[in-house]
Amino acid sequence: MSLPEFKNEAEFRKEWIAPFLAKLGYILPKHVHGANEQGKDFYFAEHDKFGHLRFCAAQVKLGKIGSGQTELDNLLNQVRRSFTVTLKYHKGADRQRISSVYIMTNESISDGAREYISDWCRSEHYGENVFYLDGETLESLERHATYIDDKILRIRLVALLNEAHFNLGPIQTLSQSVIKGEPVFQPCRTLALEDVLRNPLPEDILAYEYVSNLWENLNEINKRNVPYQLEFNERSLWYFTQIAESTFNLTVKMRDIVSGAITKVDSQYSLEIEIEEQ
């Protein structure tokens, strides 16, 4: 198990469980730990394949869940209370009950506790909707969810990298032709940049303002890629010299940032092995 250390249960709930539920794709997460929590620490929801909203609850514990009867009775009483409350989502007309309850801990669940919880579940009509997840299982699920997110991130980064490599050609052509007084405008690609503008990457990977500036520069070049002859004067040639230089620098920086981000993602999944021949 490789979950981080937590100062207390509140930190575990807020710093790990809440982002974990969001990463798994659950919606409407609501942290309700407190005096009136009615036996659960989180409400969260998902849409089933028919589009219906299904509500769940989580009971979060810090530390090992042992087989002490008092501890387990208190825990299962909280689980029981979770199934007694009703929820009304503001967009829905009907009140709904919790469909499932998940007991989560950052450490282990003893064999005795598992047996006790399983026996209790068999005695309750809703028992098949109670699940327990220890730290090792949570860590494995989080790692898999992170891998899926990183896989999608890498695809988007590679698209940006390929676009940057392609665009350096038209930009360099413009730079060289402006010197001769006859600017040549070739189309640049902006689809990957526009994807990032619609769905921004994390700021610590690629700043939105930076992407926006590069997109504007590329469009300054693209809008002059027309099939008829243009006349240029000294002022316009100076302007295109500035555009070409600025766009080149922005594109090179984009290439280097994205390349570094790809390397960082890949490093998390690289296998350092040594092959020993017998």
Side-chain angles (χ1 to χ4, degrees):
M1 186 183 69
S2 59
L3 289 183
E5 295 293 330
F6 301 99
K7 297 178 182 177
N8 49 51
E9 195 171 283
E11 184 182 62
F12 180 38
R13 291 193 305 268
K14 296 177 182 179
E15 302 298 326
W16 201 92
I17 294 294
F20 168 68
L21 292 174
K23 186 176 290 186
L24 290 182
Y26 286 107
I27 60 174
L28 307 174
K30 182 175 177 60
H31 185 209
V32 293
H33 186 80
N36 298 316
E37 64 177 274
Q38 294 297 320
K40 60 269 159 209
D41 291 317
F42 286 96
Y43 289 124
F44 50 101
E46 64 178 344
H47 287 100
D48 64 20
K49 293 183 178 180
F50 298 101
H52 301 127
L53 200 60
R54 175 177 174 271
F55 285 93
C56 305
Q59 183 62 46
V60 180
K61 296 297 179 185
L62 185 69
K64 179 179 180 180
I65 296 179
S67 55
Q69 185 169 346
T70 300
E71 176 191 4
L72 290 174
D73 284 343
N74 289 336
L75 175 62
L76 295 176
N77 182 55
Q78 292 175 320
V79 172
R80 181 184 292 110
R81 292 172 64 192
S82 295
F83 287 104
T84 65
V85 299
T86 57
L87 301 174
K88 185 176 181 180
Y89 179 44
H90 67 87
K91 292 185 178 180
D94 300 324
R95 294 185 179 274
Q96 294 180 240
R97 291 187 180 275
I98 297 297
S99 297
S100 300
V101 174
Y102 295 84
I103 301 170
M104 302 179 181
T105 176
N106 67 315
E107 293 190 11
S108 62
I109 302 174
S110 71
D111 292 340
R114 291 174 186 270
E115 184 177 352
Y116 191 94
I117 295 171
S118 296
D119 288 343
W120 180 86
C121 287
R122 282 192 287 270
S123 69
E124 299 288 347
H125 68 276
Y126 49 75
E128 69 274 10
N129 295 317
V130 178
F131 308 92
Y132 44 84
L133 304 170
D134 60 15
E136 183 177 356
T137 302
L138 289 175
E139 193 274 333
S140 178
L141 290 169
E142 197 273 342
R143 185 171 61 244
H144 178 71
T146 299
Y147 170 74
I148 297 299
D149 288 347
D150 285 344
K151 185 177 180 180
I152 295 172
L153 172 62
R154 191 182 191 282
I155 290 173
R156 299 182 70 198
L157 290 172
V158 169
L160 285 169
L161 182 61
N162 290 340
E163 194 167 87
H165 280 307
F166 176 87
N167 287 339
L168 286 175
I171 296 168
Q172 288 175 318
T173 296
L174 176 59
S175 296
Q176 295 166 1
S177 60
V178 168
I179 297 174
K180 300 176 182 179
E182 298 179 354
V184 175
F185 297 94
Q186 297 176 341
C188 296
R189 295 176 181 175
T190 60
L191 289 179
L193 284 174
E194 288 167 0
D195 172 64
V196 174
L197 290 174
R198 289 190 298 268
N199 185 20
L201 295 172
E203 283 287 310
D204 61 342
I205 295 179
L206 193 59
Y208 185 87
E209 183 178 359
Y210 179 84
V211 176
S212 179
N213 290 339
L214 177 54
W215 180 84
E216 290 176 358
N217 276 30
L218 291 171
N219 275 276
E220 279 294 304
I221 295 174
N222 284 345
K223 70 183 182 182
R224 290 174 174 82
N225 180 45
V226 291
Y228 51 83
Q229 187 66 35
L230 297 176
E231 294 184 3
F232 303 103
N233 54 39
E234 184 176 342
R235 180 177 179 80
S236 64
L237 290 175
W238 175 87
Y239 174 73
F240 293 130
T241 299
Q242 300 303 308
I243 285 290
E245 181 179 352
S246 173
T247 308
F248 179 83
N249 292 335
L250 287 171
T251 302
V252 168
K253 184 178 179 180
M254 164 78 76
R255 180 198 63 191
D256 294 343
I257 289 174
V258 170
S259 181
I262 292 173
T263 299
K264 185 176 180 180
V265 170
D266 289 346
S267 67
Q268 299 180 67
Y269 304 97
S270 62
L271 295 176
E272 296 184 2
I273 60 175
E274 295 182 4
I275 300 176
E276 296 182 353
E277 296 184 3
Q278 298 293 330

